[in-house]
Amino acid sequence: MSIDKTSTPPEDTVVENTEAAAKAVTAVDPRLLVREQGFAGYITEFKRKMKAGDLGSIPVVLGLVIIWIIFQSLNSNFLTAGNLSDISVAMVGTGLIAVGIVFVLLLGEIDLSVGSVSGVAGAAFAVLNITHGMNEVLAFVLAILTGTVAGALHGFVFAKIGVPAFAVTLAGLLFWNGFMLQILGDSGTINLNSDGLVAKLTTYYFSDVAASYGLALAVTVLYFVSSFFGNKRREVAGVPSRPLSETILRTALLAILAFAVAVIYNQYKGLPLAVVIFIGMLLVTDFVLRRTAYGRKIFALGGSVEASRRAGINVAMVRISVFAISGTFAALGGLFIASKIASANQGAGGGDLLMNAIAAAVIGGTSLFGGRGRTWNALLGVLVIVSIQYGLALEGIASPVQYMITGGVLLATVVIDAVTRKTQKTAGRA
């Protein structure tokens, strides 16, 4: 008796096999089930992350809380509205530079020129506006473009010629520092107009209480709308999404934090313009990295350059553009730093600025090995660093000790990052 090999299996068998296949696909990555399981699923996910050493920003947040508790116990003035407001304004210049560093680190590269580029931007604005009388807005734009051009030049040498980014940007650090000294001239210092555009970047406050509360409300509503419709799109696509109850809880927690910050600002001078600009930049850059094809290309290059090239990504152009972004944010941060000291001088871009900018990105959670990080990491990292600086300053502790403590925090963060990466490799997730 012959067997018909072309005959189809019984319908019951097909159904069973289909269901089994569906279950098998679901079981491939249990993380996909977390959002459908609600809070119980997140508890399971948290345990899994504990074992894998992947805790995201949780250690940074806990560390920041511990730092604040320690300094408040040493000096009751640390958590006053005035000191917290000053910390938030002081961190913006370095924080903006750190945002550009995040982009570069996502590629698995480094940019050592950002300190010098920031100094050039401040000097360029001062020379154009104060020395030559150029319109403030035009001088401001040209100063930022100096950073863009410098970064693009570094990226071109790295991406097209093949010189390692470390060597290119180290040369840039020296060249742009010399260029800044050259354009500042013999005096070495140019004071800015105290009522001018750049000066107001760090001195202007929205004194109306409605400004702080309005920003807090806007951020909360924006988060809820984004999360709500994002979950709807996932449901339509058949992808597990967060339950509405969790979205509401997350929004409520964000609202509490946002309005608490608003209350603090309103107890002092009001909402700082610098903080508004910084938050706006973080929102824009986070959207670019997480919601655009360009952002996905950056993460892809950080994961594997060869795989990205085979996928059709223009590796050279992405690299050049990322270094241009780094230079642009370095220039913008440099203008905020010039605003803070109300001048452009020979010391701009030097000292511990480069170290703090890179440390802020890494401490905040961006991996030195590429492919993992968010621009919000810059906010967390720079908040840790500036909090340490202000806390030690209140205690009258000298700068050498500040350097040692900041260096220790950075080393601990890098060690955690390396251990996490090794753990993830062991778990087959790297």
Side-chain angles (χ1 to χ4, degrees):
M1 181 178 177
S2 61
I3 299 176
D4 185 3
K5 296 182 180 181
T6 62
S7 62
T8 58
E11 185 176 348
D12 292 343
T13 304
V14 174
V15 174
E16 291 176 359
N17 290 340
T18 303
E19 292 178 351
K23 291 178 180 178
V25 171
T26 303
V28 170
D29 190 352
R31 290 174 292 172
L32 297 176
L33 294 175
V34 170
R35 292 177 174 177
E36 288 185 337
Q37 295 173 351
F39 297 111
Y42 274 90
I43 293 175
T44 303
E45 174 70 353
F46 179 76
K47 292 178 180 178
R48 184 194 63 78
K49 286 186 174 182
M50 284 287 289
K51 293 180 180 179
D54 181 16
L55 296 179
S57 298
I58 293 178
V60 186
V61 175
L62 292 177
L64 181 62
V65 171
I66 293 172
I67 289 170
W68 283 6
I69 291 174
I70 292 174
F71 285 126
Q72 177 64 17
S73 65
L74 294 174
N75 192 316
S76 60
N77 291 322
F78 182 78
L79 291 181
T80 59
N83 192 57
L84 291 177
S85 180
D86 289 343
I87 287 175
S88 67
V89 173
M91 73 181 186
V92 172
T94 305
L96 286 169
I97 299 174
V99 170
I101 290 291
V102 169
F103 277 80
V104 177
L105 290 179
L106 287 174
L107 295 181
E109 303 297 339
I110 193 67
D111 187 349
L112 300 177
S113 68
V114 289
S116 295
V117 171
S118 71
V120 167
F125 175 84
V127 170
L128 293 173
N129 176 241
I130 304 300
T131 305
H132 297 291
M134 181 180 288
N135 175 270
E136 279 189 312
V137 175
L138 180 58
F140 185 87
V141 173
L142 291 177
I144 292 178
L145 288 178
T146 59
T148 306
V149 172
L153 179 61
H154 299 155
F156 178 84
V157 176
F158 164 56
K160 290 293 189 179
I161 301 179
V163 180
F166 177 89
V168 174
T169 56
L170 179 59
L173 180 154
L174 299 173
F175 177 85
W176 297 116
N177 186 60
F179 183 73
M180 177 190 69
L181 298 177
Q182 180 68 31
I183 64 176
L184 283 175
D186 296 334
S187 65
T189 300
I190 301 177
N191 294 322
L192 301 179
N193 180 4
S194 59
D195 295 323
L197 172 65
V198 169
K200 289 183 178 180
L201 289 176
T202 56
T203 60
Y204 185 82
Y205 291 78
F206 298 96
S207 57
D208 191 336
V209 296
S212 295
Y213 294 132
L215 180 61
L217 179 61
V219 170
T220 303
V221 171
L222 180 63
Y223 175 81
F224 177 78
V225 171
S226 175
S227 299
F228 180 80
F229 286 102
N231 289 333
K232 287 295 182 183
R233 287 194 298 269
R234 295 178 70 87
E235 290 175 2
V236 172
V239 179
S241 61
R242 292 192 181 103
L244 180 60
S245 58
E246 185 194 338
T247 300
I248 293 175
L249 177 60
R250 284 172 174 259
T251 304
L253 293 174
L254 175 62
I256 292 172
L257 175 62
F259 279 93
V261 173
V263 169
I264 292 172
Y265 283 144
N266 286 333
Q267 288 178 352
Y268 189 52
K269 296 179 180 180
L271 177 65
L273 172 63
V275 173
V276 176
I277 295 174
F278 189 29
I279 296 299
M281 290 297 176
L282 289 174
L283 288 171
V284 171
T285 51
D286 184 68
F287 177 84
V288 169
L289 284 177
R290 297 176 60 237
R291 302 292 184 181
T292 67
Y294 174 73
R296 289 190 287 272
K297 290 177 182 178
I298 294 176
F299 280 104
L301 259 65
S304 173
V305 175
E306 185 57 32
S308 300
R309 183 179 288 110
R310 293 184 179 184
I313 295 176
N314 189 332
V315 174
M317 289 308 300
V318 172
R319 283 175 165 173
I320 293 172
S321 65
V322 165
F323 276 88
I325 290 172
S326 178
T328 301
F329 275 97
L332 186 58
L335 290 171
F336 273 85
I337 293 172
S339 172
K340 188 67 178 168
I341 61 177
S343 68
N345 58 48
Q346 294 179 338
D352 60 352
L353 178 61
L354 172 62
M355 179 197 73
N356 286 341
I358 296 176
V362 177
I363 290 173
T366 303
S367 176
L368 279 171
F369 303 100
R372 179 168 60 84
R374 296 180 62 180
T375 51
W376 290 100
N377 296 148
L379 171 61
L380 287 174
V382 76
L383 191 54
V384 168
I385 291 173
V386 177
S387 294
I388 292 174
Q389 292 175 339
Y390 268 64
L392 294 176
L394 284 175
E395 293 303 305
I397 297 176
S399 295
V401 179
Q402 295 182 26
Y403 291 159
M404 289 188 287
I405 293 177
T406 304
V409 173
L410 175 59
L411 177 61
T413 305
V414 174
V415 169
I416 292 173
D417 184 30
V419 172
T420 298
R421 186 175 177 85
K422 184 181 295 184
T423 305
Q424 290 177 346
K425 282 185 176 180
T426 304
R429 292 183 52 211

